[in-house]
Amino acid sequence: MNNFDVLLEKGRNFHGEVCPGIVIGTRIAMAGMKELGMNPGERNRDLMVYVEIDRCMADAVQAVTGITMGHRTLKYKDYGKFAATFLDLSTGKAVRVSAAENKREPPKPGEKNDNNRPDMKKMVEALSKVPEEELLLIEEVKVDIGEHDIPGFPKFKTHCEECGDRVLDRREVIVDGRTLCKACAEGSYYQKI
C-alpha cells in the first residue's frame, strides 16, 4: 500500500466508508500537511486546521491529521465549501487547500448508475487518480488567531447572568450591560421542555 492508500483507509475507518468526500478530504489533508512540512504519520502538536464544511471531507481531514475539537486544533467555519486551512502554530505559516471545482467536469452520461445518480465507485476511483494540480487549489494565506482560540487551558471564564451556565474563552456577549451566553443573547438551537 502506498501512503495515500494508508491514509484513505484511516478516513474509511473513521467515517465508515469511502466516498468522494473522503477521497477529496484525504487529498486535501495530505496536501496541506505537505505544504507545512508535516508528516500525517506523526502527531503534529503545532497543527491547527479550519474546515469549511460539516460533511465527509471534514471526517477525512480529522482522521488523516489527528486534529480534534477537544484539543482545540480543529475549528469549524460554516462556509459550505470543500476547503480547509492548515496552520502551523509554531511558525504562523498557513495554507488553504480547496477542491478546484471549476477544473472538474460533471459526470459523463455513462458515469451514472441505474438510478440516474453519479456512480460513486467510479467517482472514488477517478478522484483518487486525478493529478493534485487538477483537483486542488493550494493558496498561502494568513490566519489571525486570537489568544482565546489557541489550544490549552481557558484563559477566561465567566457565567451567564440569565441561565447561569459557565462560558469559556471569551464567547460571552454583553447586552445592556449584562453578561450573557450566546444562547440567551441570540436565541438557542434548542428549547427546554
Side-chain angles (χ1 to χ4, degrees):
M1 268 203 213
N2 63 34
N3 196 35
F4 171 72
D5 291 333
V6 170
L7 296 173
L8 185 64
E9 188 63 23
K10 283 178 102 172
R12 174 200 314 266
N13 291 337
F14 186 78
H15 185 68
E17 66 180 339
V18 171
C19 61
I22 292 297
V23 175
I24 293 172
T26 299
R27 306 257 333 246
I28 284 174
M30 290 175 68
M33 294 183 79
K34 180 179 76 179
E35 290 293 319
L36 295 181
M38 294 181 174
N39 181 347
E42 299 172 2
R43 181 166 168 110
N44 297 284
R45 292 187 178 273
D46 291 322
L47 178 63
M48 179 177 283
V49 180
Y50 292 80
V51 293
E52 297 181 18
I53 198 165
D54 60 349
R55 293 201 168 270
C56 310
M57 184 219 77
D59 281 356
V61 169
Q62 184 173 353
V64 169
T65 62
I67 47 92
T68 68
M69 291 190 99
H71 285 114
R72 304 193 81 220
T73 52
L74 172 61
K75 305 293 184 180
Y76 170 58
K77 296 294 184 181
D78 191 8
Y79 295 167
K81 297 180 180 182
F82 267 58
T85 297
F86 299 79
L87 169 64
D88 183 336
L89 291 167
S90 67
T91 65
K93 181 177 179 180
V95 292
R96 182 175 182 269
V97 184
S98 59
E101 299 292 338
N102 57 338
K103 293 183 180 180
R104 294 193 0 235
E105 295 178 25
K108 294 174 180 52
E111 295 176 350
K112 293 192 176 191
N113 63 21
D114 295 339
N115 299 326
N116 202 31
R117 294 173 68 186
D119 186 319
M120 292 299 172
K121 192 171 184 176
K122 286 183 181 179
M123 287 178 70
V124 163
E125 189 175 317
L127 289 169
S128 297
K129 294 177 181 176
V130 67
E132 182 178 286
E133 60 275 5
E134 291 178 29
L135 180 67
L136 304 176
L137 175 62
I138 302 171
E139 305 168 288
E140 193 163 336
V141 297
K142 182 177 183 290
V143 177
D144 293 319
I145 181 168
E147 69 173 307
H148 296 286
D149 287 327
I150 60 172
F153 291 108
K155 293 179 177 41
F156 184 81
K157 303 173 190 175
T158 191
H159 286 84
C160 176
E161 292 180 38
E162 185 72 28
C163 69
D165 285 350
R166 183 168 60 159
V167 183
L168 304 177
D169 304 315
R170 286 287 182 199
R171 299 309 195 258
E172 77 278 3
V173 180
I174 307 299
V175 177
D176 296 328
R178 295 179 67 214
T179 300
L180 302 175
C181 67
K182 288 182 181 181
C184 289
E186 301 168 2
S188 173
Y189 69 92
Y190 61 89
Q191 292 78 39
K192 294 183 181 181
I193 51 174

